[in-house]
mmCIF file of all heavy atoms in Angstrom:
data_model
loop_
_atom_site.group_PDB
_atom_site.id
_atom_site.type_symbol
_atom_site.label_atom_id
_atom_site.label_comp_id
_atom_site.label_asym_id
_atom_site.label_seq_id
_atom_site.Cartn_x
_atom_site.Cartn_y
_atom_site.Cartn_z
ATOM 1 N N GLY A 497 0.797 -5.061 30.680
ATOM 2 C CA GLY A 497 1.431 -3.957 31.402
ATOM 3 C C GLY A 497 1.615 -2.672 30.614
ATOM 4 O O GLY A 497 2.392 -1.801 31.034
ATOM 5 N N ALA A 498 0.926 -2.517 29.464
ATOM 6 C CA ALA A 498 1.084 -1.263 28.716
ATOM 7 C C ALA A 498 0.628 -0.092 29.581
ATOM 8 O O ALA A 498 -0.298 -0.211 30.387
ATOM 9 C CB ALA A 498 0.282 -1.309 27.417
ATOM 10 N N LYS A 499 1.290 1.067 29.392
ATOM 11 C CA LYS A 499 0.922 2.256 30.161
ATOM 12 C C LYS A 499 -0.330 2.874 29.562
ATOM 13 O O LYS A 499 -1.256 3.265 30.269
ATOM 14 C CB LYS A 499 2.088 3.251 30.103
ATOM 15 C CG LYS A 499 1.844 4.589 30.729
ATOM 16 C CD LYS A 499 3.190 5.314 30.881
ATOM 17 C CE LYS A 499 2.999 6.731 31.342
ATOM 18 N NZ LYS A 499 2.841 7.658 30.226
ATOM 19 N N LYS A 500 -0.353 2.944 28.242
ATOM 20 C CA LYS A 500 -1.438 3.673 27.600
ATOM 21 C C LYS A 500 -1.643 3.179 26.173
ATOM 22 O O LYS A 500 -0.675 2.860 25.478
ATOM 23 C CB LYS A 500 -1.053 5.158 27.569
ATOM 24 C CG LYS A 500 -2.056 6.073 26.931
ATOM 25 C CD LYS A 500 -1.588 7.515 27.137
ATOM 26 C CE LYS A 500 -2.641 8.487 26.669
ATOM 27 N NZ LYS A 500 -2.297 9.856 26.972
ATOM 28 N N VAL A 501 -2.905 3.153 25.752
ATOM 29 C CA VAL A 501 -3.198 2.919 24.329
ATOM 30 C C VAL A 501 -4.022 4.098 23.826
ATOM 31 O O VAL A 501 -5.009 4.484 24.445
ATOM 32 C CB VAL A 501 -3.944 1.587 24.086
ATOM 33 C CG1 VAL A 501 -4.373 1.476 22.630
ATOM 34 C CG2 VAL A 501 -3.061 0.399 24.448
ATOM 35 N N ILE A 502 -3.579 4.689 22.729
ATOM 36 C CA ILE A 502 -4.320 5.772 22.091
ATOM 37 C C ILE A 502 -5.048 5.159 20.903
ATOM 38 O O ILE A 502 -4.422 4.548 20.027
ATOM 39 C CB ILE A 502 -3.371 6.895 21.623
ATOM 40 C CG1 ILE A 502 -2.569 7.427 22.820
ATOM 41 C CG2 ILE A 502 -4.150 8.018 20.941
ATOM 42 C CD1 ILE A 502 -1.408 8.340 22.452
ATOM 43 N N VAL A 503 -6.363 5.301 20.885
ATOM 44 C CA VAL A 503 -7.161 4.590 19.886
ATOM 45 C C VAL A 503 -8.109 5.568 19.199
ATOM 46 O O VAL A 503 -8.615 6.509 19.826
ATOM 47 C CB VAL A 503 -7.908 3.401 20.571
ATOM 48 C CG1 VAL A 503 -8.759 3.842 21.721
ATOM 49 C CG2 VAL A 503 -8.761 2.610 19.589
ATOM 50 N N GLY A 504 -8.353 5.377 17.909
ATOM 51 C CA GLY A 504 -9.308 6.213 17.192
ATOM 52 C C GLY A 504 -10.728 5.878 17.622
ATOM 53 O O GLY A 504 -10.998 4.755 18.044
ATOM 54 N N THR A 505 -11.656 6.835 17.543
ATOM 55 C CA THR A 505 -13.046 6.521 17.914
ATOM 56 C C THR A 505 -13.516 5.332 17.092
ATOM 57 O O THR A 505 -13.210 5.208 15.905
ATOM 58 C CB THR A 505 -14.004 7.710 17.661
ATOM 59 O OG1 THR A 505 -13.634 8.335 16.455
ATOM 60 C CG2 THR A 505 -13.984 8.711 18.782
ATOM 61 N N ASN A 506 -14.276 4.472 17.753
ATOM 62 C CA ASN A 506 -14.756 3.220 17.156
ATOM 63 C C ASN A 506 -13.619 2.388 16.567
ATOM 64 O O ASN A 506 -13.793 1.650 15.607
ATOM 65 C CB ASN A 506 -15.824 3.498 16.082
ATOM 66 C CG ASN A 506 -17.063 4.110 16.704
ATOM 67 O OD1 ASN A 506 -17.497 3.672 17.770
ATOM 68 N ND2 ASN A 506 -17.612 5.148 16.081
ATOM 69 N N ALA A 507 -12.436 2.570 17.143
ATOM 70 C CA ALA A 507 -11.234 1.826 16.726
ATOM 71 C C ALA A 507 -10.905 2.039 15.249
ATOM 72 O O ALA A 507 -10.382 1.154 14.589
ATOM 73 C CB ALA A 507 -11.371 0.338 17.044
ATOM 74 N N LEU A 508 -11.221 3.237 14.756
ATOM 75 C CA LEU A 508 -10.923 3.552 13.354
ATOM 76 C C LEU A 508 -9.673 4.422 13.257
ATOM 77 O O LEU A 508 -9.496 5.364 14.021
ATOM 78 C CB LEU A 508 -12.093 4.313 12.718
ATOM 79 C CG LEU A 508 -13.406 3.577 12.584
ATOM 80 C CD1 LEU A 508 -14.481 4.500 12.010
ATOM 81 C CD2 LEU A 508 -13.258 2.342 11.716
ATOM 82 N N LEU A 509 -8.822 4.110 12.324
ATOM 83 C CA LEU A 509 -7.683 4.966 11.951
ATOM 84 C C LEU A 509 -7.238 4.500 10.576
ATOM 85 O O LEU A 509 -7.111 3.288 10.339
ATOM 86 C CB LEU A 509 -6.484 4.787 12.902
ATOM 87 C CG LEU A 509 -6.437 5.522 14.233
ATOM 88 C CD1 LEU A 509 -5.180 5.083 14.997
ATOM 89 C CD2 LEU A 509 -6.436 7.034 14.072
ATOM 90 N N SER A 510 -7.012 5.429 9.677
ATOM 91 C CA SER A 510 -6.408 5.000 8.412
ATOM 92 C C SER A 510 -4.952 4.638 8.715
ATOM 93 O O SER A 510 -4.392 5.078 9.725
ATOM 94 C CB SER A 510 -6.472 6.122 7.373
ATOM 95 O OG SER A 510 -5.501 7.114 7.638
ATOM 96 N N THR A 511 -4.354 3.859 7.839
ATOM 97 C CA THR A 511 -2.960 3.469 8.068
ATOM 98 C C THR A 511 -2.031 4.686 8.161
ATOM 99 O O THR A 511 -1.235 4.787 9.101
ATOM 100 C CB THR A 511 -2.515 2.471 6.980
ATOM 101 O OG1 THR A 511 -3.147 1.217 7.269
ATOM 102 C CG2 THR A 511 -1.024 2.280 6.943
ATOM 103 N N PRO A 512 -2.115 5.656 7.209
ATOM 104 C CA PRO A 512 -1.229 6.827 7.373
ATOM 105 C C PRO A 512 -1.541 7.643 8.622
ATOM 106 O O PRO A 512 -0.618 8.198 9.245
ATOM 107 C CB PRO A 512 -1.445 7.651 6.097
ATOM 108 C CG PRO A 512 -2.608 7.058 5.388
ATOM 109 C CD PRO A 512 -2.787 5.668 5.894
#
Side-chain angles (χ1 to χ4, degrees):
K499 174 167 173 271
K500 180 173 187 174
V501 173
I502 302 168
V503 56
T505 39
N506 295 318
L508 295 177
L509 278 176
S510 76
T511 286

